[in-house]
Amino acid sequence: MSRKVLFIIPVIAVTAIISGCGYRIGYMGHPQLSTVAVAPVSNDTLSYNAAAILRQKLTEVFTTDGTMKLKSISTADCIVYARITKVSYVESSGHLNDDDDFLPNEWRVTATVEFSVVIPGRAKPLIGPKTVTGSAEFISDADLENARTNGLRQALFDASRTIVSNVTEAW
């Protein structure tokens, strides 16, 4: 009799897992939108190459998310438009040198991005315009400009994840 019980318990557990217990796992996007395009990004700041970095990060996050397929602007169900409105760098930690000068060695970059989602042929945006921010901390090294660019890349990746989440799960 104990063998029967040992056999029945795993069968019940597997059945419960397969049935999903009433939860739906998988696609959470809008039922009529299955493809997306990322329009060229505009940059209202002085940060070099920020528009290209944001567009690349948006396409990367849409691809890895997998909820919507990435297509060209002419064939997509919706188009994401983005504009970088502000990039700021603030020192978050540092040290004093021998002359009592403060030398920052850790920085925080914050990027503010405004985005909207438009369905081709409609005048009113489906989403937005909305504003999101992304931030990252980075350490300054011998090449501060390279460190700033890498920090900006991380901050725009953070903002991209928020944008993609708003587009795919805003329903």
Side-chain angles (χ1 to χ4, degrees):
M1 179 150 159
S2 65
R3 282 186 153 185
K4 259 187 177 177
V5 173
L6 291 176
F7 176 74
I8 291 175
I9 291 174
V11 170
I12 291 172
V14 169
T15 306
I17 291 171
I18 291 173
S19 69
C21 300
Y23 293 103
R24 183 176 165 191
I25 299 173
Y27 184 69
M28 294 179 61
H30 192 284
Q32 296 173 339
L33 301 177
S34 60
T35 60
V36 65
V38 178
V41 175
S42 62
N43 182 10
D44 295 348
T45 70
L46 297 176
S47 294
Y48 173 73
N49 217 16
I53 294 170
L54 178 60
R55 189 171 190 206
Q56 188 270 328
K57 293 299 176 187
L58 280 169
T59 58
E60 177 183 331
V61 175
F62 270 116
T63 302
T64 56
D65 178 75
T67 304
M68 302 174 87
K69 291 185 181 185
L70 202 58
K71 295 281 186 167
S72 67
I73 291 176
S74 60
T75 60
D77 296 333
C78 63
I79 303 168
V80 177
Y81 292 92
R83 182 172 61 100
I84 303 168
T85 57
K86 183 179 179 186
V87 173
S88 62
Y89 296 90
V90 177
E91 66 273 353
S92 56
S93 72
H95 66 278
L96 295 175
N97 68 2
D98 295 335
D99 297 328
D100 289 335
D101 294 328
F102 180 75
L103 300 173
N105 56 359
E106 189 171 308
W107 296 80
R108 179 174 196 77
V109 57
T110 304
T112 306
V113 180
E114 183 181 275
F115 78 97
S116 62
V117 178
V118 175
I119 295 177
R122 292 192 184 173
K124 185 179 175 187
L126 182 65
I127 300 173
K130 284 187 174 184
T131 302
V132 299
T133 59
S135 61
E137 292 191 2
F138 65 95
I139 296 173
S140 61
D141 54 7
D143 186 1
L144 181 60
E145 191 58 36
N146 192 26
R148 286 172 59 116
T149 301
N150 289 333
L152 178 61
R153 188 174 281 117
Q154 293 172 357
L156 292 174
F157 178 73
D158 186 37
S160 297
R161 288 187 306 178
T162 306
I163 292 170
V164 171
S165 173
N166 275 284
V167 173
T168 59
E169 300 175 8
W171 321 109

